[in-house]
Amino acid sequence: MKIFAYCLREFDEKPMFDRLAEEFGAQYGYSTEYPSPDNVLLARGFDAVSCTPCDMGADMLQRFHDVGVRYVATRSIGIDHIDLKKAGELGMGVCHVSYEPETVADYAIMLMLMCCRNMPHIMNRSLVQDYSLRGKMGKDISHCTVGVVGAGQIGSTVIRHLSGFGCKMLVYDLHRNPALEGLAEYVPLDDLYARSDIITLHAPSTAENYHLVDAHAMDRMKDGVILVNTARGALVDTEALILGLESGKVGHAALDVLEDEAGLYYANRMGDVIVNRQMAVLRSFPNVLLSPHTAFYTESVVWNMAYKTFKGVRDMMTHTENPLVILPGN
């Protein structure tokens, strides 16, 4: 079993890959760069490529297939960056990873608390030694109604953990989870928008969910609503969000994910002119918190991602049943 890993971080992932290669009796090569037409040939002679969210569209899959790669293992839960239709046509196997939902759920709750207490503004003012109180007053999350959009593993964990804060919780999902009965009230999405003081997004990125939070959705929300997104950047129409922040409709936004973040987050861009005007505008607001897609980032999660990459490739190659295999390949 031979795996070529793109976007491999030498400071945390590589030691894990070293250990796992020995445990699985595998070989691996790596590049710290994103896969591109310029470096596809690095994967020649390897059975599989491993990557983080990046361009794995039809053209890139064809290029990898042409050099002999037969499996794609993404070190992420999300698979929306992979053209599954093209992979199926080529007979390429595809797998992804899973990790503890508590990691992202607790990060989302942290962002809610930071917004409730105006922490971005407070910390920015403390940098210039402004320790006065004017303009820093927050509100108690216990007195808020929190709307959770998406009640999968992460959304459900948010609800369970938030239940200890005593806040009222609303939830929208296409499927009911009996375990949430008594903890949250299932409501239509429009009702959730209209009644929530805080809205946290935990839905997958699909064609149906594209810009789930757009200008029309924001019109239905409370004035001063807090919006938290630790799911996928495409769930939020960024231009509409900017207008909502400028008008005061959105009181705070905490975004761990952003539209068009590919090639930006996880890279050291210090000193660069970053061509992303939406990001620049969002960073200018004192009531916006941007974190660079780090909600997942704990030691146990990174280990899980590395381990399930090796296991996923092995299981695809040996035709072993694995719930994380999306396409088994030929």
Side-chain angles (χ1 to χ4, degrees), residues 17-215:
F17 266 63
D18 290 341
R19 175 180 164 186
L20 287 164
E22 184 175 349
E23 289 183 7
F24 279 83
Q27 298 178 43
Y28 85 93
Y30 77 94
S31 169
T32 59
E33 299 179 349
Y34 282 89
S36 72
D38 295 331
N39 60 26
V40 162
L41 287 177
L42 293 174
R44 185 187 293 277
F46 288 83
D47 303 301
V49 293
S50 172
C51 63
T52 56
C54 60
D55 176 15
M56 277 295 190
D59 178 65
M60 287 300 298
L61 291 176
Q62 184 67 61
R63 289 173 183 268
F64 279 121
H65 185 269
D66 290 346
V67 299
V69 172
R70 293 297 177 263
Y71 304 98
V72 176
T74 181
R75 303 191 303 280
S76 62
I77 291 179
I79 56 173
D80 46 289
H81 55 292
I82 303 172
D83 189 327
L84 294 179
K85 181 181 178 182
K86 181 65 174 180
E89 293 172 357
L90 294 171
M92 299 179 77
V94 177
C95 69
H96 65 148
V97 301
S98 64
Y99 46 79
E100 303 91 336
E102 289 81 4
T103 301
V104 176
D106 291 346
Y107 196 96
I109 293 171
M110 176 190 73
L111 294 179
M112 294 179 212
L113 291 167
M114 291 181 75
C115 288
C116 281
R117 300 303 299 269
N118 282 324
M119 285 307 297
H121 184 55
I122 289 172
M123 297 307 294
N124 285 338
R125 283 171 57 177
S126 72
L127 291 175
V128 294
Q129 301 185 117
D130 178 0
Y131 306 125
S132 63
L133 290 177
R134 185 183 297 274
K136 295 180 179 178
M137 184 179 292
K139 58 183 175 182
D140 295 309
I141 195 171
S142 300
H143 300 161
C144 293
T145 296
V146 179
V148 180
V149 179
Q153 289 192 5
I154 294 173
S156 296
T157 303
V158 167
I159 291 169
R160 289 197 304 273
H161 288 196
L162 265 184
S163 64
F165 286 84
C167 47
K168 180 176 179 58
M169 286 179 284
L170 309 176
V171 58
Y172 168 77
D173 197 282
L174 298 178
H175 307 285
R176 281 183 171 269
N177 182 349
L180 300 181
E181 294 295 337
L183 296 178
E185 176 188 355
Y186 274 89
V187 296
L189 188 57
D190 281 353
D191 285 359
L192 184 146
Y193 286 156
R195 296 168 56 188
S196 298
D197 301 298
I198 303 170
I199 296 172
T200 180
L201 305 178
H202 302 286
S205 179
T206 63
E208 295 77 16
N209 286 342
Y210 178 72
H211 284 180
L212 187 68
V213 177
D214 58 10

Side-chain angles (χ1 to χ4, degrees), residues 3 5 7-9 12-13 16-17 20 24 50-53 73-78 81 95-100 103-104 232 266 293-313 324:
I3 301 172
C7 323
L8 192 79
R9 300 186 301 271
D12 61 350
E13 290 182 307
M16 297 179 183
F17 266 63
L20 287 164
F24 279 83
S50 172
C51 63
T52 56
T74 181
R75 303 191 303 280
S76 62
I77 291 179
H81 55 292
C95 69
H96 65 148
V97 301
S98 64
Y99 46 79
E100 303 91 336
T103 301
V104 176
R232 290 290 179 267
Y266 307 147
H293 207 146
T294 49
F296 78 97
Y297 195 56
T298 65
E299 183 177 355
S300 62
V301 165
V302 175
W303 171 257
N304 263 322
M305 294 164 76
Y307 173 79
K308 289 175 180 176
T309 292
F310 278 82
K311 186 177 186 302
V313 173
L324 296 175

